[in-house]
Amino acid sequence: MIFHDLSPDQSVGAILAHSLTLGDRTLKKGTVLEAATVQLLIESGINQISVAQLEADDVPENEAAATVAQAASGPLTRTDTSFTGRANIFSETDGIVLLNPERIQTLNSVDEAMTLATLPPYARVRAGQILATIKLIPFACARTIVEATQHIAHHPTPLITVKPFRSRHVALISTTHDEGQNNTKPQEKLSTITKNRLTPLGGHLTRQDNIPHNKAAVAEAIFQAVQNGYTLILIAGASAITDRQDVIPLGIKEAGGEIVHFGMPVDPGNLLLLARHQACAIIGLPGCARSPKLNGFDWVLERLMADIDISPTDIMAMGAGGLLKEIPSRPQPRHRPKPTPHAPIAALVLAAGQSRRMGTTNKLLSSVRKLPQTTPMVRLVAEAALASQAHPVVVVTGHDAPAITKALEGLAVTFIHNPDYQQGLSTSLVAGLQALPQKAAGVLVCLGDMPLITPAHLDHLISQFNPVDGRTICVPTVRGRRGNPVLWGAQFWPEILSLTGDQGARTMLNIHEDEVWEVPFEDDAPLTDIDTEERLQSLSQDITRNP
């Protein structure tokens, strides 16, 4: 291609090299100058213009781009009419785009004139979505360049294809530590979030099993799902999988399955487990699968729903680009405040309840033998909070407020009365949070009926709180079971303030599972609350036997 400065009458058939404005009309660069256009230039008083003229071996930009686009376009893709040296490739279906980054780099290295830009490998796409664009930089290029890039784009297979999502029935198994409790809200929320994930991928959640958290129950549930023809099983554990010898991996192996890979370099999503049972794929879900936000589980699920095999190598390759915590494309992106150095963690002691299960006794005023005998349990909790690093300590009163206040006489706590305590736990949370200083970085929500909690428990939870690392909800665990108190970062307070009725903040743990940091404890204090007279007597006897 040759560039000249010519008079308009010499430019018929040439390509305008630079845009020109003629009154209210603009001639764009790349315009092929026809006789009528040349006459317009002459009438406008233009004496000289910059043009490009093709040489014998040159291929015009639109033809060159279209040739390479058609070569690169594989099954379930289509090309559009090229324009201004650009040809786009689109998906004809919902699915996963497959391409080869090494071949793309090779194509782009042939000559700077020809460029190919694509979506990332394994990107999830919709029907009609653009997958790639081929752009010729100059107005034409040599035929040898077109032929070389065309060959790379098509051999041994077309460079860009789409694997469609396949409709399939999916089984969901969730385990629980609390077999005797009738709390279905976490399972219902997990079910809803899972259905919302599967539906756009062609999946149908048609089997759900809520089972005890042990390997025999896991193995039996897997066996039943496989026997009923399921080719994809999702398992949500009562606690996160921590090792190949944990309950869920052992249950998979007991059912006759094999562990393909455990762990992935994607955050959130690190604790994902991939397994197989003959033709059935099994995913041990990371905790973040309980959240609708994008996480590593989505990447694995999308590939499986498109019948794309996943190897350990594939999973480990997800690390480049695998930090998903703060990218804008995540649904419901987080807006976390910058941590303030040395910002305090407050403590909120909930002491407004009516103790209905204790009959006429206010359990918070009861004492547990040997702890010491004459100290009401609510005072033990308040003293533990005061002796910890937490500050300030706010006590929410409601039922029997004068007696609670008297029981805490002499302690440097702030009292907040909740006149709406009969409307449920949420009202005490709201009253307490509204009394906390705005500078606090987080709050420990302590229950007034947990007399075994010590300053050491609270300080350990505070030490694990780290907003920079995403540890913004710290939950104590004992043998995999979650307990109390829970430390909530300040960014969650507006959401807690919106709770109503007898909802506690714990209902939000499933929503924000990817921000939950489980803090293991060896003793049972985080699980020990007093709900009945029998439980009080039992605890007293246990302490007497084991002083």
Side-chain angles (χ1 to χ4, degrees):
M1 187 166 53
I2 303 173
F3 285 84
H4 301 279
D5 288 333
L6 301 175
S7 62
D9 58 355
Q10 296 175 310
S11 302
V12 175
I15 300 169
L16 187 64
H18 306 287
S19 296
L20 286 175
T21 299
L22 305 176
D24 59 354
R25 179 177 177 181
T26 298
L27 297 179
K28 294 184 177 181
K29 70 175 183 178
T31 300
V32 177
L33 297 173
E34 300 175 347
T37 306
V38 168
Q39 185 59 37
L40 178 63
L41 291 170
I42 295 172
E43 293 174 355
S44 299
I46 303 297
N47 298 318
Q48 185 172 281
I49 54 174
S50 295
V51 297
Q53 292 180 314
L54 303 187
E55 298 182 89
D57 194 42
D58 282 343
V59 179
E61 58 178 354
N62 288 338
E63 179 184 341
T67 298
V68 176
Q70 290 165 6
S73 183
L76 296 177
T77 71
R78 63 174 176 83
T79 59
D80 205 358
T81 302
S82 57
F83 62 98
T84 63
R86 182 185 302 278
N88 295 327
I89 300 176
F90 298 87
S91 177
E92 291 190 321
T93 185
D94 293 355
I96 300 295
V97 62
L98 299 181
L99 44 84
N100 187 306
E102 289 76 19
R103 284 173 62 193
I104 292 171
Q105 183 174 348
T106 300
L107 187 152
N108 283 323
S109 300
V110 170
D111 191 276
E112 62 186 22
M114 184 72 72
T115 66
L116 169 61
T118 73
L119 294 179
Y122 300 107
R124 173 178 165 182
V125 297
R126 305 177 306 275
Q129 182 175 346
I130 189 170
L131 306 174
T133 184
I134 291 87
K135 180 69 172 79
L136 197 69
I137 301 299
F139 300 127
C141 71
R143 188 169 300 279
T144 54
I145 296 173
V146 176
E147 291 175 349
T149 52
Q150 178 187 24
H151 180 81
I152 295 168
H154 193 69
H155 297 283
T157 58
L159 186 53
I160 302 167
T161 63
V162 174
K163 286 278 286 184
F165 294 128
R166 181 169 68 87
S167 177
R168 69 166 81 193
H169 295 283
V170 179
L172 174 63
I173 299 170
S174 59
T175 72
T176 178
H177 291 298
D178 305 316
E179 302 174 42
Q181 298 186 17
N182 186 26
N183 182 10
T184 61
K185 286 185 179 180
Q187 287 81 6
E188 291 172 357
K189 186 174 292 292
L190 174 63
S191 174
T192 298
I193 289 174
T194 303
K195 287 178 181 177
N196 291 341
R197 271 197 165 91
L198 289 170
T199 300
L201 309 180
H204 308 280
L205 185 59
T206 53
R207 181 186 179 96
Q208 293 179 250
D209 295 302
N210 300 322
I211 61 173
H213 188 70
N214 63 69
K215 67 176 182 179
V218 171
E220 178 61 22
I222 292 171
F223 177 79
Q224 292 298 330
V226 171
Q227 287 293 102
N228 282 275
Y230 285 86
T231 57
L232 179 58
I233 299 173
L234 310 178
I235 307 179
S239 55
I241 303 171
T242 58
D243 187 84
R244 283 175 174 257
Q245 300 306 310
D246 210 337
V247 169
I248 289 174
L250 291 178
I252 292 171
K253 289 192 283 189
E254 187 167 310
E258 61 173 337
I259 307 303
V260 175
H261 191 77
F262 174 56
M264 67 186 309
V266 180
D267 188 13
N270 294 135
L271 299 181
L272 180 139
L273 180 138
L274 180 63
R276 287 202 166 274
H277 187 291
Q278 299 176 6
C280 179
I282 303 173
I283 303 177
L285 301 181
C288 55
R290 299 178 184 273
S291 165
K293 298 176 186 178
L294 177 68
N295 60 76
F297 165 53
D298 290 292
W299 286 0
V300 173
L301 178 65
E302 289 164 0
R303 294 197 201 183
L304 291 176
M305 292 300 294
D307 281 336
I308 299 172
D309 288 334
I310 303 178
S311 68
T313 301
D314 294 326
I315 291 178
M316 299 313 289
M318 294 179 182
L323 182 58
L324 304 179
K325 282 190 171 182
E326 303 299 339
I327 63 173
S329 61
R330 297 188 76 208
Q332 303 178 20
R334 284 178 273 186
H335 299 285
R336 225 168 23 217
K338 293 182 179 180
T340 303
H342 310 300
I345 300 296
L348 194 61
V349 179
L350 302 182
Q354 300 178 72
S355 308
R356 290 192 181 98
R357 296 174 64 184
M358 293 284 287
T360 59
T361 302
N362 187 338
K363 64 180 179 181
L364 300 182
L365 302 175
S366 301
S367 61
V368 180
R369 277 190 286 174
K370 301 288 185 181
L371 278 183
Q373 185 173 353
T374 58
T375 305
M377 70 174 72
V378 68
R379 188 177 181 97
L380 292 172
V381 176
E383 288 177 342
L386 287 168
S388 74
Q389 298 174 29
H391 180 79
V393 176
V394 175
V395 177
V396 182
T397 63
H399 173 69
D400 214 0
I404 296 293
T405 303
K406 183 173 178 58
L408 301 180
E409 189 175 13
L411 298 183
V413 300
T414 299
F415 290 101
I416 296 297
H417 183 65
N418 172 25
D420 301 319
Y421 66 90
Q422 291 181 325
Q423 297 180 23
L425 177 61
S426 64
T427 61
S428 291
L429 282 169
V430 170
L433 284 182
Q434 290 175 336
L436 294 180
Q438 292 185 351
K439 65 180 180 179
V443 61
L444 278 160
V445 179
C446 305
L447 306 182
D449 64 348
M450 300 188 70
L452 301 187
I453 291 295
T454 67
H457 292 108
L458 304 181
D459 286 344
H460 188 45
L461 286 168
I462 292 172
S463 72
Q464 296 299 299
F465 180 75
N466 189 328
V468 175
D469 290 342
R471 289 183 266 162
T472 48
I473 305 174
C474 295
V475 182
T477 63
V478 180
R479 298 181 297 278
R481 294 183 62 185
R482 290 178 175 176
N484 281 295
V486 176
L487 197 167
W488 293 89
Q491 65 266 42
F492 300 104
W493 295 3
E495 192 171 347
I496 296 174
L497 289 171
S498 69
L499 296 174
T500 58
D502 207 32
Q503 285 183 293
R506 292 183 68 86
T507 60
M508 294 164 45
L509 292 179
N510 291 330
I511 299 174
H512 301 288
E513 184 70 34
D514 55 328
E515 301 213 46
V516 172
W517 182 255
E518 293 187 337
V519 183
F521 287 87
E522 294 185 0
D523 63 288
D524 287 341
L527 303 179
T528 305
D529 58 346
I530 309 300
D531 288 328
T532 65
E533 183 65 35
E534 292 76 17
R535 180 73 181 108
L536 177 63
Q537 296 303 322
S538 174
L539 179 61
S540 295
Q541 292 169 8
D542 288 343
I543 293 172
T544 301
R545 285 195 297 267
N546 303 285

